[in-house]
Amino acid sequence: MIQERLNQACEILGLIHMNAVYDHHAEEASKGSISYLEFLDKLLWAEIEAKRDRAAKANMKLAKLPYVKTLEQFDFDFQPSANARKINELKTLGFVARAENVVFLGPPGVGKTHLAVGLAVEAIKNGYTAYFLSAHELIAMIKENIISGRIHRKIKTLCKPGILIIDEVGYAGMDDETAHYFFQIISSRYEKGSIILTSNKSYGEWGDVFGDNIVATAILDRLLHHSTTINIKGDSYRVKEKKKAGFYDPSKLEFTPTD
Ligand code: ADP
Ligand code: MG
């Protein structure tokens, strides 16, 4: 029977979506005045879209984002120095195609991670891959892999995603060996894959972060050669939200932690 043959053909070719929808499309086609070619075109593109959707969903999981937020959810009126114009340019994803980097600098709560995540979400939706980790996790990963003798293989793995996001550089210091491998990671992605990095420390303070001015300079040299820096200077959005909710008491100079 034709249905059975079609189901089998779809299975052999891995056309999961087409298998589910060809019936419906065939019925629609027979009602309308749609040509054979248009019918085929519809079916094929429905399959392609479904495949892309599945891949994006899988890539979202693999990216290990700490939360999912989009660029549309970012309030640029509250944080004008986050530079809506530059973010809109980055949103076109030319930087990923050209393997350029993006650095978000600024104090806690101003939206650095949100914007990094938002760019990653946009890239994944458009077929790219991403991998998110905090500098803290990266340092631990480097140390473990030095001990287990797999550090070179690990560096290769970290080269694979279209975007590598390194969040919160600057909170944890680094010993010489870790800083050296951190440099290796930046350097092996240089002109091959994008890095989005966030930091609470200005570039001038990176010598302290990496425990060595020479390593810091080498890292900055690779990182910034093809890059966009967005320096966010403003109030913490977390504090704003807490003020609004009434948890914020400036006389105590602290606010109730809820996250
Ligand atoms: P940072 O990484 O700079 O410390 P986050 O990006 O984690 O700050 O932001 C803290 C929280 O506030 C997140 O939940 C984020 O989504 C939200 N947030 C920060 N800035 C904005 C903004 N301008 N518009 C909307 N949400 C924001
Ligand atoms: Mg953050």
Side-chain angles (χ1 to χ4, degrees):
M1 206 179 107
I2 187 71
Q3 298 274 359
E4 265 167 35
R5 283 180 55 78
L6 283 171
N7 292 348
Q8 209 186 353
C10 286
E11 241 166 65
I12 292 169
L13 292 170
L15 305 172
I16 303 170
H17 185 70
M18 199 191 274
N19 206 356
V21 300
Y22 74 80
D23 248 357
H24 167 75
H25 281 278
E27 210 178 300
E28 291 289 298
S30 66
K31 276 191 226 153
S33 57
I34 165 173
S35 72
Y36 290 122
L37 286 181
E38 277 171 317
F39 169 70
L40 187 59
D41 177 70
K42 263 212 174 110
L43 268 191
L44 288 175
W45 281 99
E47 179 67 33
I48 289 167
E49 244 164 60
K51 267 211 164 80
R52 285 181 179 162
D53 246 35
R54 282 201 302 277
K57 279 207 183 90
N59 287 335
M60 276 295 279
K61 277 199 188 136
L62 290 173
K64 297 267 163 61
L65 300 175
Y67 52 74
V68 177
K69 288 215 176 164
T70 62
L71 297 174
E72 286 71 29
Q73 287 170 287
F74 196 85
D75 180 359
F76 286 96
D77 291 336
F78 177 76
Q79 208 62 273
S81 63
N83 202 328
R85 192 186 54 78
K86 273 193 192 173
I87 297 290
N88 277 329
E89 164 63 27
L90 293 168
K91 203 177 155 205
T92 64
L93 302 175
F95 80 100
V96 192
R98 294 188 299 269
E100 295 174 0
N101 303 324
V102 183
V103 182
F104 292 105
L105 299 179
V110 294
K112 302 181 298 296
T113 304
H114 183 143
L115 291 170
V117 165
L119 285 175
V121 168
E122 194 64 29
I124 292 167
K125 265 200 267 171
N126 284 279
Y128 290 105
T129 53
Y131 189 68
F132 182 106
L133 78 185
S134 67
H136 185 76
E137 286 167 325
L138 183 59
I139 291 168
M141 188 186 269
I142 289 172
K143 287 186 172 155
E144 273 167 35
N145 282 276
I146 292 172
I147 293 168
S148 67
R150 285 195 286 255
I151 185 68
H152 296 287
R153 207 176 314 159
K154 193 74 206 176
I155 291 174
K156 269 195 188 148
T157 318
L158 291 174
C159 268
K160 286 191 179 140
I163 305 177
L164 181 69
I165 302 137
I166 309 173
D167 197 31
E168 299 194 334
V169 171
Y171 283 105
M174 272 176 237
D175 57 59
D176 285 356
E177 197 180 26
T178 309
H180 165 77
Y181 283 112
F182 192 101
F183 165 74
Q184 293 286 320
I185 292 163
I186 304 293
S187 160
S188 60
R189 288 186 65 90
Y190 175 66
E191 295 185 334
K192 291 202 194 83
S194 293
I195 295 170
I196 300 180
L197 188 147
T198 82
S199 179
N200 61 329
K201 298 279 196 317
S202 67
Y203 293 134
E205 297 169 287
W206 281 31
D208 294 337
V209 173
F210 294 97
D212 181 316
N213 273 327
I214 297 172
V215 177
T217 307
I219 289 172
L220 284 171
D221 180 61
R222 304 295 191 288
L223 189 68
L224 302 185
H225 185 198
H226 310 288
S227 69
T228 304
T229 296
I230 294 181
N231 204 342
I232 310 176
K233 297 180 190 121
D235 291 335
S236 162
Y237 197 81
R238 294 191 188 105
V239 172
K240 168 199 134 128
E241 288 202 313
K242 265 147 202 156
K243 270 184 192 162
K244 212 170 56 188
F247 298 141
Y248 183 73
D249 182 354
S251 70
K252 287 188 188 150
L253 284 174
E254 63 180 15
F255 48 86
T256 318
T258 54
D259 57 10

